[in-house]
Amino acid sequence: MLNNCKLTILGLGTMGRALADGLLEAGAIQPSSLRATVRHDESAERLSADSTYPVSTDNIEAAREADVILLCVKPRSACKVVRELAEGGALEQGPLLLSICAGVTTAQLEEAAGCSLRVARAMPNTPCLVQKGMTVVSPGAHASPDDVKTALSIMEPLGRALSLDEEHMDAVTGLSASGPAFVYVIIDALAEGGVMVGLPRKTATELAAQMVLGASTMVLETGKHPAELKDQVTTPAGCTISALMALEDGKLRSVLARGVQEAARAAAALG
Ligand SMILES: NC(=O)c1ccc[n+]([C@@H]2O[C@H](COP(=O)([O-])OP(=O)(O)OC[C@H]3O[C@@H](n4cnc5c(N)ncnc54)[C@H](OP(=O)(O)O)[C@@H]3O)[C@@H](O)[C@H]2O)c1
């Protein structure tokens, strides 16, 4: 429970909403401690009707009394929003600013605030929507170890969360934040393979998705290296080793690794 913490989410879009819903469902926060904003009046009206907490378009009013401001707008708007908060006196109570904006550094946000604001970054992913997220948190120059704990306690109800130095944030973005998109493509491709060898499409998709869930759980729960787990499936002269050779011919491993590298490079350019 985020003890009496007043939380304001600026940008109640896909991720902002996932974070709000996850925290409420986990009982980590009460609706009375939560406020949120969006950009457009129509979005505010639609979300207000559907939420147990207030949703407005007034960032300054919503943030003025917040203990934690969760910044979930698009990266290109992040510094502008923080500058407006500072100019409107909405940072005077000394909140923790927790930003999930890809590629925007804590130094950029501190500079936009124009004061020694406690800033931390968090990089979540969309599986936070089903409480299976992976989030990495990094402190800025003025954030304390307690601020990191607060940031982790906001993210933990949505899946796993850990802290790393900020220098790793673009790599984290390329791997665990962009990664769900890579895995959806992989699941779809595997299901297509199932269809090619005669399975109904819906069944093939279910088999592929549950198989990926099971394999991921094996890695996380056994702590074994993926290569060791792969060896358990690969009997000599069997069908799996034949398939693995075909995947190596297609350079599957380097294609996936290069995908992460490319996403990290693009993330670094966002800020
Ligand atoms: N999607 C992901 O997988 C993912 C993963 C990790 C991190 N992130 C980060 O999460 C952030 C949000 O991404 P998203 O996918 O949730 O975007 P999104 O669905 O487009 O949501 C953006 C939200 O911000 C609101 N907004 C825009 N300008 C605003 C302003 N000046 N003040 C208050 N609210 C404002 C929008 O309101 P309207 O609806 O009224 O326009 C919308 O609700 C990004 O910075 C991204 O880098 C995303």
Side-chain angles (χ1 to χ4, degrees):
M1 184 79 182
L2 294 158
N3 293 327
N4 300 322
C5 172
K6 286 190 209 146
L7 179 68
T8 291
I9 299 178
L10 303 181
L12 197 68
T14 307
M15 290 307 297
R17 190 70 196 264
L19 295 169
D21 288 353
L23 288 169
L24 289 169
E25 268 171 40
I29 198 162
Q30 296 300 314
S32 56
S33 301
L34 186 59
R35 317 193 58 165
T37 63
V38 286
R39 184 166 188 194
H40 298 100
D41 289 332
E42 317 85 81
S43 311
E45 276 165 32
R46 179 175 44 80
L47 289 162
S48 284
D50 199 26
S51 304
T52 51
Y53 49 90
V55 185
S56 76
T57 54
D58 189 340
N59 289 340
I60 291 168
E61 201 267 328
R64 202 182 288 283
E65 291 180 8
D67 299 308
V68 179
I69 299 172
L70 195 47
L71 188 64
C72 302
V73 298
K74 290 288 188 193
R76 64 176 175 275
S77 309
C79 288
K80 182 168 172 277
V81 167
V82 172
R83 216 171 289 121
E84 286 167 0
L85 293 180
E87 286 164 6
L91 301 177
E92 283 167 11
Q93 77 283 21
L96 169 65
L97 177 76
L98 180 57
S99 164
I100 68 162
C101 303
V104 184
T105 64
T106 56
Q108 288 171 315
L109 295 166
E110 286 157 4
E111 191 187 334
C115 59
S116 303
L117 186 67
R118 291 147 53 224
V119 177
R121 283 173 72 183
M123 188 44 60
N125 61 12
T126 52
C128 285
L129 282 160
V130 291
Q131 284 85 55
K132 298 285 182 202
M134 181 70 240
T135 302
V136 174
V137 167
S138 301
H142 310 294
S144 67
D146 276 350
D147 291 328
V148 173
K149 276 191 200 154
T150 301
L152 288 171
S153 64
I154 289 173
M155 297 300 169
E156 275 161 356
L158 309 169
R160 288 179 179 242
L162 54 84
S163 66
L164 283 177
D165 285 344
E166 190 172 8
E167 64 178 319
H168 298 301
M169 262 323 196
D170 293 329
V172 168
T173 307
L175 178 53
S176 56
S178 298
F182 311 156
V183 175
Y184 300 140
V185 171
I186 291 168
I187 289 172
D188 189 38
L190 292 169
E192 297 256 86
V195 172
M196 272 178 67
V197 290
L199 289 172
R201 180 169 294 278
K202 193 163 175 287
T203 306
T205 304
E206 183 181 348
L207 263 60
Q210 175 65 18
M211 176 276 293
V212 169
L213 176 65
S216 300
T217 308
M218 288 287 282
V219 174
L220 290 170
E221 290 193 1
T222 66
K224 288 185 176 164
H225 192 285
E228 190 182 343
L229 293 166
K230 181 259 298 169
D231 288 351
Q232 289 177 1
V233 193
T234 317
T235 49
C239 52
T240 307
I241 190 68
S242 301
L244 285 170
M245 289 305 109
L247 296 179
E248 295 289 353
D249 290 346
K251 300 191 176 160
L252 178 74
R253 288 154 56 91
S254 68
V255 164
L256 289 173
R258 301 275 290 161
V260 173
Q261 188 184 30
E262 181 56 23
R265 188 200 59 72
L270 283 176

